[in-house]
Amino acid sequence: MNSDPEIFRFSIFSKLTLMNVSELEIRRACEAPTDALSFASRSNIRSAQPELSVEEILTEIQRAADLPLEESTTLPAQAYTSPDFFDWEVENIFRKEWLALCHVSQIPNVGDFLNIDLLGEPLIVIRDKSNEIQVLSRVCPHRGMDIMPPGFGYDGHCPAQAKEGQSNCGNTRLLLCPYHSWTFELDGKVKACAEMQEAKGFNRDEWGLKTFRSEIWNGFVFINFSEDAPQSVAEQYEGLGKHLEPWNLGDMELVFAQEWDCAFNWKVLTENFMESYHHAGAHSKTLQPMMPARDTWTEAEKAHYIQCHLPMKPKVREEIADMESRGEQWDVFPPIPGVSGEKRFEWGLILGYPGFKFVVTADAAIWYRTQPLGPNRIKLLTTMLVPKSTVQHPDFDSMLEKGSKMAVDFHLEDMEVCMAVQRGYYSSGYQRGRLSHLEMPIWLIQRYLAARSRGTWPTMDRPAAPGQR
Ligand code: FES
Ligand SMILES: [Fe+2]
């Protein structure tokens, strides 16, 4: 196993902790942990944990998944550090499941595009001339060039105009491969390819950019790399779709996005995102006073997603009701009119397996997009969405400043613990821990992984686990 424990021995986080640095420095470190990663390439120190084969890791996951919740444990560290196991996950999970790429509000006009590299696939999500959203490969069918490598082509060399300050999205009339100037329509069909008349049997209609299977669900554009995925996103997330109706997500606008380079495994982030037991520790000053860990709960097991509820404590509910009775606004943004009853007084936490991480609150939605890059690395985009009416509000700019600061502040608390957890997985000190009932989502994720290793999904070949409350 060529794991990179040195990343974590010398991680920026540990250096920062020793230096007792400011929030700003932690923030910089989280945004660019490449310094820490460069240590890895100069290091020959291996993980102190014994090497396990993919089969051995899967056996341990299946054993853990079959324990009752009250007996549940954490997984072996190698599930988070083994490059071979990461390859297994890419092949058997990420390349077979629906993955969210962007929200429709990010590409509202014909010709708007957004580039994203996912699992080594250079992709372009683009709104074509018939106003349909296409997910295309950026790999040129002529000689294989990525037609829009990062930062390339925004110098007048190609028709694409980059969005201000960004290198991976913008607007274009057509797609141009800069190598031999083949051009493509916005739906990927070949528009022009000069000097191909002598290529015998060549028919340009057969040589467009590859189109991937995609679907828009609640305003989110999903891709599935597998042609044989048995269900649509809408079928898989049917129950979730009903729950989310009051937010009218398809009509929201993505108003904030920040990219993070994370030196930890995708499951470290996913588990952290879904269990709220850590409000009591990592968020003791931010989320815990509002939504105490002890009151958070998880719904009964579902095949394709996990749903958790983070109720606000009675004192906060009273405060909200008081303020609203005086016509004042408690939330950062105006509360969304249809979000009522219990939904008004809780955060709803969702994981659409494997990667759709989502929070709904009374006034906004938070979406985390992840691009797994290796056993100890992901690219993460944290975003915030609000209704269009909120964007029209005269005080929207100051609301957004406040809302995005809050989101970044509590995300920084998560970044710290996630980096430190991954460091633990390389150490001889790591032992398989026991889980609290409040960590039911972690056990559900184990059951998801185990089900995928059997070629199925949770609840399909085992009884569904009851909810925890
Ligand atoms: S590789 Fe794209 S035109 Fe030749
Ligand atoms: Fe957290």
Side-chain angles (χ1 to χ4, degrees):
M1 185 160 58
N2 54 359
S3 317
D4 300 327
E6 203 67 353
I7 298 170
F8 307 103
R9 299 265 165 89
F10 293 96
S11 83
I12 284 181
F13 176 56
S14 66
K15 282 193 286 185
L16 292 176
T17 310
L18 289 172
M19 287 154 56
N20 193 19
V21 295
S22 69
E23 178 199 309
L24 183 68
E25 285 166 293
I26 295 178
R27 192 179 297 227
R28 275 200 206 112
C30 296
E31 284 165 4
T34 39
D35 283 3
L37 288 167
S38 70
F39 266 104
S41 56
R42 283 185 266 128
S43 162
N44 291 317
I45 296 177
R46 296 161 73 92
S47 170
Q49 293 283 326
E51 201 165 318
L52 291 187
S53 68
V54 171
E55 288 67 33
E56 286 167 323
I57 296 170
L58 287 174
T59 302
E60 289 305 319
I61 291 175
Q62 284 159 0
R63 272 197 199 129
D66 281 337
L67 292 170
L69 176 60
E70 309 78 65
E71 292 173 31
S72 60
T73 70
T74 63
L75 296 180
Q78 293 87 341
Y80 302 82
T81 59
S82 159
D84 290 345
F85 186 63
F86 177 75
D87 291 346
W88 181 89
E89 291 177 319
V90 169
E91 222 35 61
N92 294 279
I93 293 176
F94 291 106
R95 281 191 167 271
K96 295 224 162 95
E97 294 273 56
W98 289 100
L99 308 170
L101 299 175
C102 70
H103 186 264
V104 289
S105 63
Q106 292 174 276
I107 43 172
N109 304 310
V110 167
D112 283 354
F113 70 90
L114 185 144
N115 291 340
I116 171 172
D117 288 28
L118 188 59
L119 311 179
E121 300 275 7
L123 304 172
I124 180 165
V125 190
I126 189 160
R127 196 178 280 269
D128 71 17
K129 286 186 178 141
S130 32
N131 217 14
E132 298 288 320
I133 290 176
Q134 304 282 349
V135 178
L136 307 172
S137 171
R138 299 201 312 268
V139 176
C140 182
H142 172 227
R143 289 260 303 284
M145 178 175 175
D146 174 351
I147 64 168
M148 293 167 117
F152 190 91
Y154 301 127
D155 51 1
H157 195 92
C158 102
Q161 295 294 318
K163 222 182 229 175
E164 205 185 317
Q166 299 192 46
S167 64
N168 67 342
C169 56
N171 183 277
T172 191
R173 295 179 276 113
L174 51 83
L175 298 167
L176 165 84
C177 178
Y179 203 174
H180 311 92
S181 287
W182 282 29
T183 55
F184 306 89
E185 300 286 0
L186 302 182
D187 60 4
K189 292 196 183 73
V190 175
K191 185 178 167 70
C193 48
E195 302 301 337
M196 290 300 291
Q197 64 278 14
E198 291 186 25
K200 198 171 165 195
F202 174 81
N203 173 0
R204 68 159 71 174
D205 296 342
E206 293 164 7
W207 294 94
L209 295 167
K210 179 180 167 139
T211 304
F212 287 100
R213 188 174 169 197
S214 65
E215 183 177 332
I216 297 171
W217 177 82
N218 268 282
F220 288 92
V221 182
F222 284 77
I223 184 172
N224 200 317
F225 288 109
S226 162
E227 287 301 326
D228 354 291
Q231 287 184 305
S232 66
V233 185
E235 284 167 331
Q236 294 198 173
Y237 296 165
E238 194 187 352
L240 208 50
K242 286 204 180 79
H243 178 82
L244 292 171
E245 267 167 20
W247 281 270
N248 202 2
L249 296 171
D251 206 37
M252 276 185 150
E253 249 181 70
L254 192 142
V255 290
F256 168 77
Q258 179 154 355
E259 197 162 83
W260 309 75
D261 195 350
C262 305
F264 40 83
N265 184 272
W266 69 274
K267 297 187 293 303
V268 171
L269 177 77
T270 310
E271 293 172 356
N272 171 268
F273 190 89
M274 289 309 290
E275 63 87 358
S276 303
Y277 182 38
H278 74 275
H279 283 197
H283 305 302
S284 61
K285 295 200 176 66
T286 47
L287 302 181
Q288 174 74 1
M290 187 164 68
M291 297 168 294
R294 147 175 35 87
D295 299 337
T296 63
W297 62 282
T298 304
E299 289 190 12
E301 186 172 31
K302 321 271 194 307
H304 297 287
Y305 61 94
I306 302 178
Q307 205 174 340
C308 300
H309 299 262
L310 284 53
M312 291 175 183
K313 68 180 183 189
K315 216 169 149 249
V316 176
R317 294 171 70 126
E318 280 166 29
E319 197 182 307
I320 295 172
D322 268 8
M323 283 184 73
E324 291 188 345
S325 69
R326 295 196 299 270
E328 294 167 20
Q329 183 178 311
W330 182 87
D331 303 87
V332 174
F333 302 105
I336 300 167
V339 180
S340 56
E342 281 307 300
K343 289 176 183 166
R344 166 67 189 95
F345 296 105
E346 66 170 29
W347 282 19
L349 214 57
I350 288 151
L351 173 68
Y353 296 129
F356 187 68
K357 289 173 281 297
F358 203 69
V359 181
V360 278
T361 69
D363 59 339
I366 291 168
W367 170 52
Y368 279 20
R369 181 182 77 185
T370 40
Q371 292 154 264
L373 298 173
N376 52 31
R377 193 144 184 217
I378 47 179
K379 194 186 263 193
L380 168 69
L381 191 77
T382 58
T383 77
M384 185 177 281
L385 298 103
V386 296
K388 289 205 168 80
S389 56
T390 297
V391 182
Q392 308 304 328
H393 195 286
D395 299 332
F396 174 65
D397 287 349
S398 63
M399 290 175 183
L400 180 61
E401 195 178 324
K402 192 172 162 201
S404 50
K405 182 183 180 314
M406 271 171 60
V408 167
D409 283 352
F410 76 73
H411 179 65
L412 282 165
E413 295 171 344
D414 289 315
M415 287 292 287
E416 290 182 356
V417 294
C418 288
M419 282 199 275
V421 163
Q422 184 78 24
R423 199 145 47 99
Y425 289 149
Y426 287 93
S427 158
S428 65
Y430 175 78
Q431 51 184 317
R432 298 199 36 200
R434 293 296 307 274
L435 299 177
S436 158
H437 64 288
L438 297 175
E439 292 171 294
M440 180 173 166
I442 296 183
W443 176 71
L444 292 177
I445 293 164
Q446 297 173 353
R447 288 163 68 87
Y448 166 75
L449 295 170
R452 291 312 294 139
S453 77
R454 300 190 298 267
T456 185
W457 282 272
T459 76
M460 293 190 177
D461 65 345
R462 300 270 200 285
Q468 160 276 317
R469 195 173 194 175

